[in-house]
Amino acid sequence: MSDKKAAEPDLGAFEAQLLAEGYRTVARDLPPGMQVPEHVHAFQAKALVTEGEIAITCGGETRVYRAGDVFTVTRDTPHAEAIGPQGVSYLVGHLA
């Protein structure tokens, strides 16, 4: 799992970058307080949080991502997700 803070969330530029890198993109909106137990994906995920917050726990470490933050979860990496009290919206790219 890796992360960085975007200077300013530019959704169009982020989506263009994902598409250029071969990702397929999906906009997600998850409800407040939603908990997703530990799981893995058969793809790499790279996302830009546009509203709210999401906490991702990976390898015993929890990081919280808010609007403007970008995070990556590599393929087959066990992780859990906890959605903040306002919910979360993000644009995510999936790379098979």
Side-chain angles (χ1 to χ4, degrees):
M1 179 173 63
S2 65
D3 60 328
K4 72 174 190 166
K5 179 73 172 180
E8 246 186 66
D10 183 339
L11 200 55
F14 183 73
E15 184 170 26
Q17 176 190 354
L18 289 176
L19 294 171
E21 293 174 3
Y23 286 83
R24 72 177 171 81
T25 60
V26 179
R28 300 284 314 263
D29 297 300
L30 301 177
M34 181 177 171
Q35 301 284 321
V36 181
E38 189 171 82
H39 62 286
V40 298
H41 300 288
F43 52 82
Q44 177 164 299
K46 185 175 183 179
L48 169 65
V49 178
T50 57
E51 292 182 41
E53 68 180 41
I54 182 172
I56 298 179
T57 301
C58 182
E61 181 181 351
T62 300
R63 295 185 184 176
V64 177
Y65 301 95
R66 295 178 178 88
D69 292 339
V70 173
F71 65 87
T72 301
V73 179
T74 57
R75 172 196 315 267
D76 297 325
T77 300
H79 65 285
E81 303 166 19
I83 309 309
Q86 303 301 318
V88 71
S89 297
Y90 56 88
L91 178 68
V92 62
H94 297 159
L95 183 64

